[in-house]
Amino acid sequence: MSTNVLGLTRALAYAADAHANQRRKGAAQEPYINHLIEVLDLVARATGGEDEELLIAALLHDVVEDTPISAEDLAAAFGARVARIVVENSDDMTLPKDERRRQRIAAMAHKSPEARIVKTADVISNLRAIAVSPPAGWGMDRRLGYLEGCRQLISAGRGANAVIETLFDETAAEAERAIRADAGLEGDGADVIARHLDSVIGQAVHLVYVPNTAKRAITDADMDLLCETISRNFPSATVQHADSIFDGSRRQILLARIRSDSTDAVVALAQRLCIVFDQRFVGIEVGGRYIRVYADDTG
């Protein structure tokens, strides 16, 4: 078996373990590893697939930004060049979202050609997802705004690889057509996530889960904060302590049952709870289906 194949399979196992409990932010909630494999495939097709370190960096491009793995960990496992490419494409997550976006565009022209290739592949994959499975509450204007930001980013760093840049242009045009075609179907965007639940008798009941990713003890103050946040927009709800299994371990969580005919309002509540409880995501059940809602839904 070639060294190239062994290196890639090792990186694939590494990525699968690092991102094991992550899913994409759109309605389909695909396992995050699907996105990483798509980026790997895009880079391989655009470059011929001979540069093993570049392919590994494509597969691991989010591991420093989105997991506890450090650049030093990555360098020890796969070498300095792989770590450099990944770090070039890792945002400073302590900054506000708008500032991260500004810095991302400003830095694009100064990245290495390898890093720009990986970033372009990443953006192509994200655009494909936004076109067919956007995050909760994204209507046409929000999706088109995201598309324009992607165009600005790629325009700032052109010249690294003509094949993948051409594919980006084609993907952006296809995404815009798809988003505009959906406009007449999706109303204000929330029914891309789930159709409003029609009930002959009574109102739909939505479940909201605050996941407690820090695994700390849940207190009465947490319950009071949950009640206060819900009461701003809903006249009544049932709230309770609960236990869950997440990341392979048992932990305390907060659970709310809310009666509402508006999926939009439940999504907005989940986004507020992400901020209030400092959670990367909050889970909701809509029509018997579980999805994650993110406060920071930049894609």
Side-chain angles (χ1 to χ4, degrees), residues 11-249:
L12 182 59
Y14 192 92
D17 181 64
H19 296 276
N21 290 298
Q22 295 178 9
R23 291 185 173 269
R24 302 210 73 181
K25 296 177 181 178
Q29 298 280 286
E30 307 99 324
Y32 202 76
I33 192 70
N34 291 15
H35 164 64
L36 305 176
I37 293 172
E38 183 177 28
V39 173
L40 165 65
D41 180 67
L42 288 165
V43 171
R45 292 176 183 276
T47 63
E50 297 300 321
D51 188 338
E52 178 184 351
E53 290 182 335
L54 177 59
L55 299 182
I56 291 173
L59 186 60
L60 300 176
H61 71 273
D62 276 333
V63 77
V64 170
E65 181 176 306
D66 289 344
T67 81
I69 293 170
S70 68
E72 293 74 20
D73 295 333
L74 193 58
F78 295 100
R81 181 169 175 247
V82 169
R84 173 182 58 78
I85 296 170
V86 172
V87 169
E88 283 188 84
N89 284 319
S90 299
D91 291 345
D92 181 351
M93 300 305 288
T94 65
L95 297 175
K97 182 168 59 176
D98 289 344
E99 178 61 18
R100 293 202 308 272
R101 184 182 297 114
R102 187 195 68 77
Q103 289 194 9
R104 197 181 304 136
I105 293 173
M108 188 65 171
H110 306 290
K111 297 181 188 292
S112 66
E114 305 100 310
R116 282 182 279 157
I117 291 169
V118 171
K119 175 52 71 176
T120 303
D122 180 32
V123 171
I124 290 170
S125 176
N126 287 339
L127 271 184
R128 289 174 175 176
I130 291 296
V132 300
S133 180
W138 280 41
M140 184 184 73
D141 289 344
R142 181 75 178 273
R143 294 159 78 188
L144 290 176
Y146 180 85
L147 171 59
E148 177 57 28
C150 291
R151 283 175 165 151
Q152 292 175 11
L153 178 65
I154 302 307
S155 293
R158 287 188 181 271
N161 181 284
V163 174
I164 204 161
E165 289 163 9
T166 298
L167 180 57
F168 166 78
D169 292 335
E170 294 169 353
T171 301
E174 291 169 3
E176 182 169 1
R177 284 193 293 270
I179 292 167
R180 293 188 184 280
D182 282 347
L185 300 175
E186 64 181 51
D188 57 7
D191 53 354
V192 173
I193 311 307
R195 305 301 178 189
H196 285 276
L197 302 180
D198 294 324
S199 179
V200 176
I201 300 175
Q203 288 181 298
V205 176
H206 304 260
L207 298 182
V208 179
Y209 305 85
V210 181
N212 186 20
T213 52
K215 296 191 287 189
R216 62 180 180 80
I218 297 294
T219 67
D220 288 342
D222 293 315
M223 183 63 76
D224 290 342
L225 182 58
L226 176 62
C227 293
E228 178 186 348
T229 306
I230 292 172
S231 66
R232 294 176 186 175
N233 293 95
F234 297 94
S236 63
T238 301
V239 296
Q240 66 185 83
H241 295 279
D243 290 320
S244 75
I245 299 174
F246 181 71
D247 277 347
S249 62

Side-chain angles (χ1 to χ4, degrees), residues 253-265:
I253 66 169
L254 293 171
L255 175 64
R257 290 180 172 83
I258 298 172
R259 298 190 304 275
S260 176
D261 292 324
S262 173
T263 304
D264 288 0

Side-chain angles (χ1 to χ4, degrees), residues 25 93 208-218 222 225-226 244 246-247 251-254 269-283 290 292-297:
K25 296 177 181 178
M93 300 305 288
V208 179
Y209 305 85
V210 181
N212 186 20
T213 52
K215 296 191 287 189
R216 62 180 180 80
I218 297 294
D222 293 315
L225 182 58
L226 176 62
S244 75
F246 181 71
D247 277 347
R251 67 189 64 196
Q252 295 178 313
I253 66 169
L254 293 171
L269 169 66
Q271 290 172 326
R272 284 197 302 276
L273 291 173
C274 287
I275 297 169
V276 169
F277 285 93
D278 191 25
Q279 298 294 301
R280 183 167 177 266
F281 67 89
V282 164
Y290 174 84
R292 290 178 177 180
V293 175
Y294 295 79
D296 180 12
D297 49 13

